[in-house]
Amino acid sequence: MSLTPYIVLSAILFTIGCVGVLTRRNAIVVFMCVELMLNASNLALVTFAKQHGNLDGQIAAFFVMVVAAAEVVVGLAIIMTIFRSRRSASVDDANLLKY
Amino acid sequence: MTFSVTAALLAAEGAEKSGHGGIPVIEPATADGVFALMWLVIALPLAGALILLAGGAIAPKALEAWGHLLGTLTAAGSFVISSMMFVALWGRAEDDRSITQHLFTWIEAGRFDVGMDLLYDPLAALFLMLITGVGSLIHVYSIGYMEHDARRRRFFGYLNLFVAAMLMLVLSANYLGLFLGWEGVGLASYLLIGFWQHKPTAAAAAKKAFVINRVGDIGMSVAIMLFFVTFGTTAFAPISAAAEGASSATLNALGLLLLLGACGKSAQVPLQAWLLDAMEGPTPVSALIHAATMVTAGVYLIVRSNFIFERAETAQTMVVIVAVVTLLWGAVIGCAKDDIKKALAGSTMSQIGYMMLGAGLGVAGYAFAIFHLLTHGFFKANMFLGAGSVMHAMDDDVDMRHYGALQKAVPITFLTFAMGYLAIIGFPGFSGFWSKDKIIETAFAENPFVGAAALLGAGVTAFYMTRLMLMTFFTNRRWAPEVHPHESPKVMTVPLMVLAALSVLGGLLLLGDWIVTWLEPVVGVAEHHEPPIAPLVLTLIVTCVVALGVATAWFLVGRQEVPREAPQEVSLATRAARADLYGDAINDRLVVRPGVTSVWALSHMDRVVIDGTVENASLSIAGLGGVVRRLQTGFVRSYALSLLAGVLIVVLALLAVNLR
Amino acid sequence: MTAFWILAPIMVLAALGILFVRKAVHAALLLAIVMIGLAVLYAVLEAPFLFAVQIIVYTGAILMLFLFVLMLVGVDASDSVVETLKGQRALALGTGVVLGMLLVTAATQASLGVARGLGDVNADGNIQGLANIMFSRYVFAFEVTSALLITAALGAMVLAHRERLEPRESQASVARQRMRDYADTGKPLGPLPSPGVFARHNAVDTPALLPDGTVADASISRVLAARGSVRSAPALAENIEDIERQLAGGSPVVGQRAGADAPPQEPERASRNPDPTGEDQ
């Protein structure tokens, strides 16, 4: 049984996440797409763990989850703050840092 | 320049004590007895200067009331100590008349070791007597002359500073200390020429003197560096011992550089232009600094450096050329000036030319150069102070065309001035007669042309001094009706009388060749040449030429009415002489205009080329930044897109590298 | 692999849905589908612990957090379909497709060979195996993670904290303010007047009448006034003679009301309410 389809699925999900980050404007949806990319990489890690017959990949996926949780907490707090001051969750509206 | 200092020192030790070819080596003894007070000679006026210049904030009232007396006392104190030392030195054996005093280590850096050392020998002794003696008299005179000046305390502070610096100059045992005094007198001269700084002419004259002196100082400082490079020291004693081993090119270079320094300080051609303008200063300053002492420092330098010049033929010849040119140059200027002080300044230039001539003539002339320096110090100080007294009487008018027939109005000034006049033209028996006669005699022995030029100078001197004398004290009365000439107070006339006496009696120094013998330990013994013309005959010729000059002046000036306004329809020669023989114009054309032009060109190039390059570079980068910053849209998704594109490029590059 | 082939298309479709749905809530729900699918795949890939963690932490905690924030920000907020950045969508799609093709090609080109499987290392149980590694080889990373989590928690607190800018209002200060308003502007001290209560009509959209017969504006909610759904009190009196007659006739009011009330009201209401959606409230 080859595990290649898992990797391919992981690649597809990652790409979809990428495109989502680039096209969606709602900051929360952008964050979801980032989560999608993280999850896709997690899938690859778990797949490799099975492929190589050790648990290091699963450990790595576990840490990715922890970091993702931390990132989501802080990121959503930032979105909250921006929304509170600008009444908008669009990433295009927060464009004051420019030329 | 593979010259070894130690080898030269060893060689010098093997040589005779008097050195090779009669050039003495300086071997000073340590100071003891009264000579231990040597440092006080400098320290007294220096302390006076410090108190007078810096003490104004602490005790202004007391210094305003007593400052001038303090200044005079310090100068007089120096004179007393100098006299004591002079007498003591006279009492010592002839070959033991060189005394040194080490005060402290001044600069010590690697091989460069300069001590604050003083050297007292017959040459310095004469200078000490002249500086402190004439200096004290002029201090006394200044008490009267500057009585109504609001800044008298400062004036005396500057005078004291000058005296201290001048004493440092002649007492130092090394060239660096000499240079310290050299710059000190330059500073004092600058401050005193510009003392009446509210007058733009005085400020400009001070600046001119300072700048031209800097040109000469370049020569001095380079010479000092060359001394250090060649001999490893700047002190006179080791250099005088080691000079024999130095190459002739080095010695000539040293001589020419020292001559450049001397030209600057002594107002010799081509650096003569400042002296006439320096007359903007108060008259006592002109008498002390720009006649009697400071301007003769160049002569001192050359006589002191005899161990260099005696071995540098070219440099010595240059000294003679410079001296002869200046001698005639100054005399011609003196003939045309109507400003009494400027006429005297031209005369000073000319007389210093005589001294330089003596110094350039070598061993035979050194003593006479110093002799003439001393007598000139007496009679020129006398005449400058007399001129100051006349100006005092004439409400500070300096134009001789406004004088005339003053001999009755200011009898004491007239009599003392007449003593100075007779001395300078070389009236038989007066001091100038002896000293100038000796220089002309030596010049004839050296070269007939030089002698003839000196003789001509004597005639011209007689002419312009007679003209000055006649226009001031005789001829028709031309002063304005509101002017009431009056004799100066005692405090001014007494110094005049003392100086007049010295002008008459200065020739006594030559009695039994005393001054020649006295200076022999410093300058060496002259080989006796048989003069081409018998001295007596020459003296007669000189006297005749002088009489001719006096007679010419009498016919041209004394016999007719002198116009109150200077005639404008005059010959080309007179016009040139009135314009200082175009000295300023020459300087302007040769130095100032090219300097201004090159500065303008350089600044223009700096603005256009360099600034242009830099500014255009920065502008183009700024413009580029202005274009590129449009990439910073502030849209985070654009940034993410470029991030992804970058990732893609990296991955593709890796792939391309791996697949190949 | 059966589970994979069933789940994979669902997950890809759900993921693609995230790109296209307009409402963020829908995107969150689609993301939940992907995550649960991933959890199942983790189970298939012999990672039961991650399966549990994925469901509990990701689907349970993180996604709930997303929904929480969505509720705060406004559940209605939906993206406009129009792309504001010029060429952004096309370029994103282009690079995305190239990246996807590149990754897929790379994955398929690589020969993974037969998977070794986790039978050996999971012999004592997956959780025990993970614990063995985590608390030995990865113990330092584990500890650092704790620091990261604490920092993140503190950061979120700091970022989300809102400083009180004015003192808290007390009952006394509210009462004082009311008295001051009454003194300054004549704002009534007591409660606002209640809406009109008439003999034949009793509703919040009818303003009370002052003794002189004019309308008391303060008796009607401002929201109703803004919507324009306020009844005109004088209009109610249009058929006053009719009512008086009925009253004089002694016929029951209730019966009269049903007949006389309804027909004139309908057109009036329609004309006053241009916004039909307001009716849904």
Side-chain angles (χ1 to χ4, degrees):
Chain A
M1 180 191 70
S2 169
L3 293 177
T4 307
Y6 287 92
I7 305 297
V8 172
L9 176 64
S10 162
I12 291 171
L13 289 179
F14 187 86
T15 309
I16 292 171
C18 268
V19 176
V21 168
L22 296 185
T23 51
R24 295 311 299 261
R25 264 177 293 172
N26 190 326
I28 300 170
V29 181
V30 171
F31 247 94
M32 289 177 194
C33 292
V34 172
E35 292 304 313
L36 186 61
M37 288 160 77
L38 286 168
N39 272 300
S41 64
N42 269 358
L43 177 62
L45 286 171
V46 174
T47 311
F48 286 132
K50 173 151 179 167
Q51 177 72 29
H52 294 297
N54 62 32
L55 290 172
D56 291 319
Q58 293 191 11
I59 296 281
F62 179 71
F63 281 129
V64 168
M65 279 185 202
V66 176
V67 174
E71 173 228 327
V72 163
V73 166
V74 177
L76 288 177
I78 291 173
I79 290 173
M80 283 282 297
T81 317
I82 292 177
F83 182 80
R84 204 182 281 158
S85 62
R86 305 182 67 86
R87 289 284 135 199
S88 159
S90 166
V91 288
D92 285 359
D93 285 350
N95 66 345
L96 291 180
L97 188 65
K98 61 177 175 184
Y99 55 84
Chain B
M1 212 180 296
T2 53
F3 177 76
S4 159
V5 178
T6 33
L9 282 170
L10 287 173
E13 255 173 46
E16 263 184 286
K17 187 181 162 115
S18 57
H20 173 77
I23 304 166
V25 170
I26 300 170
E27 282 172 304
T30 317
D32 53 0
V34 69
F35 300 111
L37 295 174
M38 203 188 293
W39 63 277
L40 264 179
V41 176
I42 300 174
L44 274 177
L46 189 64
L50 278 177
I51 293 169
L52 287 171
L53 293 178
I58 302 160
K61 291 232 174 96
L63 281 177
E64 289 306 335
W66 301 101
H68 53 286
L69 294 180
L70 174 73
T72 313
L73 271 180
T74 56
S78 279
F79 176 65
V80 169
I81 299 172
S82 301
S83 309
M84 284 156 62
M85 293 202 311
F86 185 78
V87 171
L89 193 72
W90 205 345
R92 285 168 82 110
E94 210 164 286
D95 54 357
D96 193 25
R97 284 185 183 162
S98 186
I99 293 134
T100 185
Q101 186 178 32
H102 176 75
L103 299 182
F104 52 87
T105 304
W106 184 15
I107 301 169
E108 192 174 10
R111 273 197 321 132
F112 192 55
D113 185 5
V114 181
M116 188 56 87
D117 294 334
L118 305 182
L119 175 69
Y120 188 72
D121 62 1
L123 179 62
L126 287 179
F127 265 92
L128 246 58
M129 293 305 291
L130 175 73
I131 295 162
T132 55
V134 176
S136 303
L137 288 174
I138 289 173
H139 272 80
V140 173
Y141 177 93
S142 304
I143 294 175
Y145 190 85
M146 302 296 284
E147 193 172 0
H148 303 297
D149 198 295
R151 292 153 76 229
R152 184 167 63 166
R153 169 179 61 84
R154 190 183 298 240
F155 180 81
F156 275 86
Y158 290 159
L159 272 191
N160 266 354
L161 176 68
F162 167 77
V163 170
M166 190 69 203
L167 290 168
M168 180 73 220
L169 196 160
V170 297
L171 268 180
S172 173
N174 53 54
Y175 279 103
L176 208 63
L178 186 150
F179 194 57
L180 177 69
W182 190 268
E183 292 300 310
V185 293
L187 170 68
S189 161
Y190 167 77
L191 292 170
L192 286 166
I193 294 172
F195 185 72
W196 288 321
Q197 57 206 214
H198 51 85
K199 287 199 294 185
T201 48
K207 196 165 80 175
K208 187 175 178 182
F210 202 72
V211 169
I212 294 183
N213 265 298
R214 291 288 78 69
V215 178
D217 291 347
I218 290 171
M220 267 298 278
S221 42
V222 175
I224 291 169
M225 292 172 208
L226 198 54
F227 273 125
F228 177 67
V229 168
T230 314
F231 302 107
T233 176
T234 63
F236 299 138
I239 293 175
S240 70
E244 198 180 1
S247 73
S248 135
T250 312
L251 289 169
N252 273 320
L254 281 169
L256 290 172
L257 288 167
L258 289 175
L259 174 63
L260 179 61
C263 279
K265 195 59 82 191
S266 293
Q268 301 293 292
V269 175
L271 300 179
Q272 85 291 359
W274 65 270
L275 185 60
L276 290 162
D277 289 355
M279 296 302 129
E280 288 288 344
T283 307
V285 172
S286 307
L288 177 61
I289 301 184
H290 306 116
T293 54
M294 184 191 82
V295 288
T296 59
V299 181
Y300 169 80
L301 180 69
I302 289 174
V303 174
R304 173 58 83 200
S305 310
N306 63 75
F307 42 82
I308 300 293
F309 282 95
E310 280 305 302
R311 299 180 173 95
E313 284 291 323
T314 316
Q316 213 165 29
T317 312
M318 273 308 293
V319 175
V320 172
I321 293 171
V322 164
V324 170
V325 171
T326 313
L327 186 163
L328 295 172
W329 189 292
V332 170
I333 291 175
C335 290
K337 288 288 172 188
D338 289 334
D339 179 329
I340 185 169
K341 286 182 73 181
K342 293 211 169 167
L344 285 173
S347 157
T348 303
M349 264 172 73
S350 173
Q351 298 301 313
I352 298 168
Y354 273 108
M355 297 169 210
M356 291 291 267
L357 177 61
L361 292 173
V363 181
Y366 290 137
F368 302 130
I370 298 301
F371 180 35
H372 192 57
L373 193 156
L374 293 174
T375 56
H376 173 258
F378 299 146
F379 61 67
K380 190 51 69 62
N382 175 18
M383 282 194 289
F384 259 116
L385 295 186
S389 182
V390 171
M391 285 160 58
H392 199 72
M394 298 297 293
D395 292 347
D396 288 334
D397 193 346
V398 292
D399 194 340
M400 289 191 291
R401 292 190 182 276
H402 300 168
Y403 295 171
L406 279 172
Q407 89 269 35
K408 293 267 171 52
V410 285
I412 301 175
T413 306
F414 165 65
L415 281 175
T416 54
F417 200 96
M419 297 304 116
Y421 160 72
L422 292 174
I424 193 173
I425 64 168
F427 193 81
F430 285 71
S431 59
F433 170 75
W434 305 108
S435 57
K436 202 187 287 179
D437 197 47
K438 276 293 173 190
I439 290 177
I440 296 172
E441 193 180 302
T442 319
F444 262 112
E446 181 82 15
N447 184 321
F449 291 108
V450 175
L455 188 59
L456 177 64
V460 181
T461 306
F463 168 76
Y464 68 72
M465 284 314 298
T466 311
R467 172 177 175 270
L468 190 152
M469 194 72 190
L470 291 173
M471 285 178 79
T472 306
F473 295 106
F474 300 100
T475 64
N476 53 323
R477 177 183 147 163
R478 296 182 299 278
W479 66 72
E482 68 270 20
V483 178
H484 303 289
H486 53 91
E487 186 55 275
S488 304
K490 277 276 174 339
V491 73
M492 285 166 73
T493 49
V494 168
L496 282 175
M497 292 182 226
V498 175
L499 284 167
L502 286 169
S503 307
V504 177
L505 302 174
L508 288 177
L509 290 174
L510 197 65
L511 206 64
D513 272 352
W514 176 85
I515 191 160
V516 178
T517 322
W518 174 256
L519 284 173
E520 259 171 17
V522 182
V523 299
V525 185
E527 299 164 44
H528 190 70
H529 289 291
E530 198 54 49
I533 310 166
L536 204 62
V537 177
L538 189 66
T539 307
L540 264 175
I541 296 174
V542 171
T543 313
C544 287
V545 169
V546 167
L548 197 66
V550 172
T552 314
W554 170 251
F555 280 115
L556 287 181
V557 182
R559 279 198 349 149
Q560 47 202 347
E561 290 270 301
V562 177
R564 203 176 132 78
E565 297 301 326
Q568 295 304 313
E569 302 290 320
V570 290
S571 67
L572 211 62
T574 314
R575 222 172 280 170
R578 276 187 190 161
D580 307 348
L581 292 181
Y582 302 116
D584 284 338
I586 294 169
N587 281 349
D588 198 45
R589 285 284 154 71
L590 288 183
V591 182
V592 178
R593 289 251 198 98
V596 169
T597 312
S598 65
V599 165
W600 179 86
L602 283 175
S603 75
H604 199 69
M605 194 189 85
D606 180 58
R607 252 198 320 278
V608 174
V609 179
I610 296 179
D611 284 8
T613 311
V614 173
E615 278 169 14
N616 281 329
S618 65
L619 275 180
S620 54
I621 288 176
L624 190 69
V627 173
V628 170
R629 71 174 188 161
R630 293 277 151 193
L631 292 176
Q632 295 291 322
T633 55
F635 292 118
V636 73
R637 291 187 300 143
S638 299
Y639 302 161
L641 184 62
S642 31
L643 195 83
L644 184 66
V647 168
L648 212 58
I649 289 167
V650 169
V651 172
L652 283 171
L654 281 175
L655 221 63
V657 169
N658 281 331
L659 290 179
R660 198 156 51 85
Chain C
M1 289 300 276
T2 324
F4 177 83
W5 290 119
I6 294 170
L7 280 175
I10 297 173
M11 284 161 66
V12 171
L13 283 175
L16 283 174
I18 296 176
L19 297 187
F20 297 115
V21 294
R22 283 181 65 195
K23 290 206 172 187
V25 181
H26 297 164
L29 292 175
L30 289 170
L31 186 63
I33 293 173
V34 179
M35 285 183 173
I36 291 170
L38 278 174
V40 175
L41 290 188
Y42 290 165
V44 173
L45 289 170
E46 298 178 74
F49 178 66
L50 279 182
F51 162 74
V53 169
Q54 175 81 4
I55 295 214
I56 294 170
V57 173
Y58 251 119
T59 325
I62 295 183
L63 263 179
M64 287 312 112
L65 198 58
F66 269 112
L67 286 173
F68 224 81
V69 173
L70 272 177
M71 296 304 161
L72 277 172
V73 167
V75 114
D76 291 336
S78 57
D79 274 4
S80 144
V81 196
V82 182
E83 174 61 55
T84 46
L85 298 185
K86 201 173 142 195
Q88 170 83 9
R89 193 170 282 177
L91 277 173
L93 214 64
T95 44
V97 167
V98 174
L99 180 71
M101 276 165 54
L102 208 63
L103 290 176
V104 169
T105 318
T108 47
Q109 289 300 307
S111 51
L112 286 177
V114 180
R116 199 176 290 169
L118 291 170
D120 294 343
V121 289
N122 276 354
D124 293 338
N126 177 253
I127 293 171
Q128 282 80 356
L130 278 176
N132 271 337
I133 301 180
M134 190 174 295
F135 296 116
S136 58
R137 202 190 306 166
Y138 292 104
V139 69
F140 184 68
F142 182 78
E143 294 294 344
V144 171
T145 315
S146 67
L148 175 72
L149 282 175
I150 287 175
T151 314
L154 278 175
M157 278 165 67
V158 169
L159 284 170
H161 178 68
R162 193 169 2 186
E163 200 69 37
R164 176 177 282 281
L165 297 174
E166 55 218 12
R168 185 190 296 272
E169 279 195 351
S170 67
Q171 203 171 359
S173 72
V174 169
R176 267 198 297 277
Q177 184 61 41
R178 269 198 195 157
M179 290 303 285
R180 197 168 299 125
D181 285 347
Y182 175 63
D184 293 345
T185 63
K187 195 178 162 192
L189 265 181
L192 293 171
S194 49
V197 178
F198 300 102
R200 297 187 59 215
H201 192 277
N202 186 358
V204 288
D205 59 351
T206 315
L209 291 181
L210 294 172
D212 59 352
T214 54
V215 168
D217 288 328
S219 63
I220 293 289
S221 162
R222 274 183 295 131
V223 176
L224 291 180
R227 283 183 180 169
S229 52
V230 177
R231 284 166 187 264
S232 165
L236 291 176
E238 271 170 7
N239 47 1
I240 189 75
E241 289 88 5
D242 191 24
I243 296 172
E244 276 175 354
R245 197 177 59 244
Q246 287 172 8
L247 287 173
S251 57
V253 177
V254 181
Q256 280 294 330
R257 188 183 167 193
D261 207 18
Q265 273 177 10
E266 288 307 326
E268 184 188 23
R269 285 191 67 160
S271 68
R272 283 192 180 186
N273 291 291
D275 181 16
T277 51
E279 293 299 303
D280 298 346
Q281 289 302 312

